Amino acid sequence: MNLEKEIEDKFGGRLRIRINGILIQDDHILMIKHKMGNDRFFWNVPGGGMKYGSTAEENLKREFMEETGLEIRIKDYLCTYEYLQTPLHAVELYFEIEAIGGNLRMGKDPELSDELQLITEIGFLNIDNLALIKNSEKHRLFWGIKSVNDVRKWKGYFNFENNYLK
């Protein structure tokens, strides 16, 4: 089966609410590299779709455990980002979090079969590592940040052109 078709079938053609956690340790941000198709990759922080009937906190804890093996505590709400690149459309909530247990490991997406897993790499990246990743291969929120601490300044609602909406 084609990975891009699988992504479109599982996640496309509908609005999704996603929850994401930013873990900063020693001036590094925990990031995950996702395979998005043939020679197409996308770096973002751990997170995923919210499940009906679970709170934002419960969803973020579940996603972090699935993708990273880490137990977390939510610290601060940072911002909301609207992602729209057809066929994908998501409203994403970003929180700063801290790790309180578990062991870092590369996890998997339970919605996808073993041969179609999206996660290809996981690690803590500093600002120089982030700058080396092409903009087309990382979340727009991480384009042009000058310090990992810049993420702590994000407040408000951003849209798919990285515009801040008041």
Side-chain angles (χ1 to χ4, degrees):
M1 183 177 263
N2 177 300
L3 181 59
E4 291 180 46
K5 173 105 172 70
E6 182 77 3
I7 291 170
E8 184 175 338
D9 289 347
K10 292 274 186 200
F11 308 114
R14 62 189 166 93
L15 177 63
R16 297 180 70 224
I17 305 297
R18 292 180 36 86
I19 188 148
N20 302 277
I22 298 178
L23 175 59
I24 299 173
Q25 291 182 349
D26 301 319
D27 286 327
H28 291 71
I29 299 174
L30 182 62
M31 301 286 288
I32 293 179
K33 183 179 182 181
H34 299 87
K35 183 173 183 151
M36 301 302 288
N38 292 335
D39 298 321
R40 290 184 49 235
F41 297 94
F42 186 72
W43 286 88
N44 196 8
V45 294
M50 290 186 59
K51 291 186 177 177
Y52 178 80
S54 296
T55 66
E57 181 177 16
E58 291 165 344
N59 277 287
L60 188 52
K61 287 179 177 182
R62 174 186 43 78
E63 285 292 337
F64 242 84
M65 181 54 71
E66 288 173 1
E67 294 184 356
T68 71
L70 296 176
E71 296 173 41
I72 62 159
R73 181 179 75 79
I74 295 177
K75 292 171 61 176
D76 294 314
Y77 166 73
L78 296 172
C79 69
T80 298
Y81 185 89
E82 182 178 6
Y83 179 87
L84 178 57
Q85 188 169 357
T86 306
L88 303 177
H89 189 186
V91 174
E92 304 172 324
L93 308 174
Y94 281 83
F95 292 86
E96 183 174 1
I97 59 96
E98 68 178 339
I100 59 171
N103 295 302
L104 184 62
R105 61 164 172 71
M106 189 170 73
K108 42 192 275 192
D109 189 327
E111 294 176 297
L112 298 171
S113 63
D114 286 347
E115 61 275 359
L116 291 175
Q117 286 298 305
L118 304 180
I119 299 173
T120 63
E121 194 175 329
I122 185 170
F124 282 93
L125 305 181
N126 65 23
I127 196 67
D128 295 328
N129 303 137
L130 277 169
L132 292 174
I133 300 169
K134 293 184 287 188
N135 282 349
S136 62
E137 294 190 355
K138 65 187 169 193
H139 195 288
R140 285 187 79 107
L141 283 175
F142 298 97
W143 292 13
I145 62 173
K146 306 293 184 224
S147 157
V148 296
N149 288 316
D150 284 355
V151 302
R152 292 183 169 122
K153 299 174 190 169
W154 295 337
K155 299 293 179 223
Y157 188 97
F158 298 84
N159 72 11
F160 38 88
E161 296 169 345
N162 247 21
N163 292 324
Y164 171 70
L165 304 178
K166 294 181 180 177

